[in-house]
């Protein structure tokens, strides 16, 4: 009898807890709906009555940034036009032409086409100056701005106008983008008879595997007794991959 009574009390407690949670959840939903309606009303009033013309997307972005700033520094909003940069930092993959670029004067130039990339297939060369991308002038734009123009979904096309040293007129190329995979360990080798060297450019997906394979090769085939792990200009990435890299050592 005592056992049944305890069971009944436990069941009642569960039911009460579920009901309380449901009440809180519905209360939050009501608050969310009410405040979203308030936000929409303010937005409409500003659009109709504000003295200057407003840009809705810019105004909404300011509201989102304000909301995010009230939370912890690790909760962020990533707009759609920045997703390719985010995916590159976390996966090492992106859709594009596959080339390193840098600023030179008023324009951006190609410094290194990646091996087997569209840049190589369509004969882009180091030193080519990018004048236009899809008809948009590249003059005065920095590398990030030009990079955004060059990136896109794999199997889509981009038209690039370049100026090549030794050529009398600009050259136009229509290039089909591909998925570009960047190695996290672009180089490793021996500094001396006992010291190995590994260059790690990012903590993206599977970077720990690349570091582990480089370590095994240096130890087994080159008899490395110590290793220099070069993290210069490494922008960071996935925490779990950084932990796995540390575990390699």
């Amino acid at each position: 009898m005592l056992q049944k009574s305890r069971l009944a009390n436990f069941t009642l407690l569960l039911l009460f807890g579920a009901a309380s949670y449901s009440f809180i959840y519905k209360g939050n939903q009501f608050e969310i709906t009410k405040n979203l309606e308030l936000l929409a009303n303010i937005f409409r009033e500003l659009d109709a009555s504000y003295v200057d013309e407003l840009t809705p997307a810019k105004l909404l972005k300011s509201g989102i940034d304000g909301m995010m700033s009230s939370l912890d520094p690790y909760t962020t909003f990533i707009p759609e036009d920045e997703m390719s940069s985010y995916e590159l930092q976390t996966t090492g993959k992106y859709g594009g032409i596959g080339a390193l670029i840098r600023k030179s004067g008023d324009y951006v130039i190609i410094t290194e086409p990646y091996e087997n990339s569209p840049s190589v297939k369509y004969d882009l060369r180091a030193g080519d100056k990018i004048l236009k991308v899809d008809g948009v002038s590249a003059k005065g734009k920095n590398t990030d701005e030009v990079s955004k123009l060059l990136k896109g979904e794999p199997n889509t096309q981009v038209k690039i106008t370049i100026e090549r040293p030794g050529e009398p007129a600009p050259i136009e190329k229509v290039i089909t983008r591909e998925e570009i995979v960047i190695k996290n360990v672009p180089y490793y080798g021996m500094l001396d008879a006992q010291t190995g060297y590994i260059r790690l450019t990012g903590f993206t997906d599977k970077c720990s595997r690349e570091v582990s394979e480089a370590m095994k090769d240096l130890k087994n085939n080159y008899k490395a007794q110590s290793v220099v792990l070069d993290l210069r200009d490494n922008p960071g990435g996935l925490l779990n991959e950084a932990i796995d890299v540390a575990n390699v050592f």
Side-chain angles (χ1 to χ4, degrees), residues 68-126:
M68 294 293 105
S69 66
S70 68
L71 304 175
D72 62 86
Y74 308 105
T75 303
T76 59
F77 170 69
I78 302 173
E80 185 179 1
D81 60 354
E82 296 180 13
M83 277 303 297
S84 59
S85 297
Y86 172 76
E87 289 172 355
L88 174 60
Q89 189 173 356
T90 56
T91 67
K93 302 177 183 178
Y94 70 96
I97 65 170
L100 285 176
I101 58 176
R102 69 172 175 84
K103 185 80 170 178
S104 178
D106 289 334
Y107 290 92
V108 166
I109 65 169
I110 293 174
T111 56
E112 182 186 347
Y114 296 150
E115 187 178 358
N116 298 321
S117 70
S119 293
V120 172
K121 296 174 185 176
Y122 289 85
D123 191 33
L124 289 178
R125 305 176 189 175

Side-chain angles (χ1 to χ4, degrees), residues 44-58:
R44 279 192 292 267
E45 286 297 322
L46 287 172
D47 187 52
S49 307
Y50 192 68
V51 63
D52 293 326
E53 184 177 353
L54 298 174
T55 305
K58 185 177 180 180

Side-chain angles (χ1 to χ4, degrees), residues 127-180:
D128 286 346
K129 182 189 293 183
I130 300 175
L131 302 179
K132 296 180 182 178
V133 180
D134 283 335
V136 178
S137 174
K139 186 175 182 179
K141 288 182 167 52
N142 58 36
T143 54
D144 286 340
E145 291 170 325
V146 173
S147 180
K148 285 182 180 179
L149 294 173
L150 294 173
K151 289 176 182 175
E153 290 294 320
N155 300 318
T156 60
Q157 291 186 327
V158 58
K159 183 169 73 173
I160 304 175
T161 305
I162 61 170
E163 180 183 290
R164 177 170 293 167
E167 295 290 338
I171 302 170
E172 281 193 356
K173 292 181 178 289
V174 178
I175 300 176
T176 301
R177 299 180 178 99
E178 296 179 10
E179 183 180 76
I180 309 299

Side-chain angles (χ1 to χ4, degrees), residues 188-203:
Y188 69 91
M190 297 295 292
L191 295 176
D192 55 39
Q194 294 184 325
T195 309
Y197 171 87
I198 299 175
R199 177 87 170 95
L200 181 60
T201 59
F203 289 101

Side-chain angles (χ1 to χ4, degrees), residues 16-29:
F16 178 76
S20 299
Y21 176 78
S22 177
F23 177 77
I24 293 170
Y25 177 74
K26 289 179 180 178
N28 285 341
Q29 286 297 100

